Structure formats: structure tokens, C-alpha cells
Amino acid sequence: MHPPEDGFLPAHGNYAPLLSFQKAEIIYDITFRFAHKFLAKGDRTIDQMIQSARSGKKNILEGSRVGNGVNS
């Protein structure tokens, strides 16, 4: 496996300035508001949508840690 090219992930593993993480945050915020505004209270779909959006953010964070050599 070849190491990623310089500049793809910051060497220090800082995920916050990554455009993909910023977009994932926006998607999470919009999904959260949409689900609570337009879906019936107690609907399992709300939890599923929010969990899915949260997973996008978490995957970027975890990928950044792995790219930095940090395990957890």
C-alpha cells in the first residue's frame, strides 16, 4: 500500500478544516432539523436519519486519526 500523497490529509490529523468534514457537519445539522420538523415524533426514521448523518462525521474523524497513526 502506498502512503497518501502530501496534502490529502493534514499530517497532524486535524480533520476540522477538511472540506469533507465541514460538509458532513452541515448535512448533520440539516438532517437533524429536518427530521424533527417534518417527521412524526417517535418515528424510528428520525433516529435512523440522524445516526446516519452522525456516522458521516465520525468516519471522517476516525479516518483522520488512522491517517495520523492514532488508534482508538
Side-chain angles (χ1 to χ4, degrees), residues 9-46:
L9 282 177
H12 44 71
N14 187 7
Y15 56 88
L18 293 174
L19 184 58
S20 58
F21 184 77
Q22 293 170 7
K23 288 182 179 185
E25 281 190 307
I26 292 168
I27 290 169
Y28 173 79
D29 292 342
I30 292 170
T31 301
F32 185 90
R33 291 178 184 164
F34 175 88
H36 283 96
K37 184 172 183 176
F38 294 108
L39 299 176
K41 195 171 193 173
D43 188 345
R44 176 71 182 131
T45 306
I46 294 173

Side-chain angles (χ1 to χ4, degrees), residues 1-4 8-15 18 57-72:
M1 176 182 269
H2 299 288
F8 178 71
L9 282 177
H12 44 71
N14 187 7
Y15 56 88
L18 293 174
K57 287 175 48 175
K58 189 174 180 183
N59 288 341
I60 294 168
L61 182 146
E62 290 174 357
S64 179
R65 285 183 181 162
V66 169
N68 192 30
V70 177
N71 293 327
S72 85

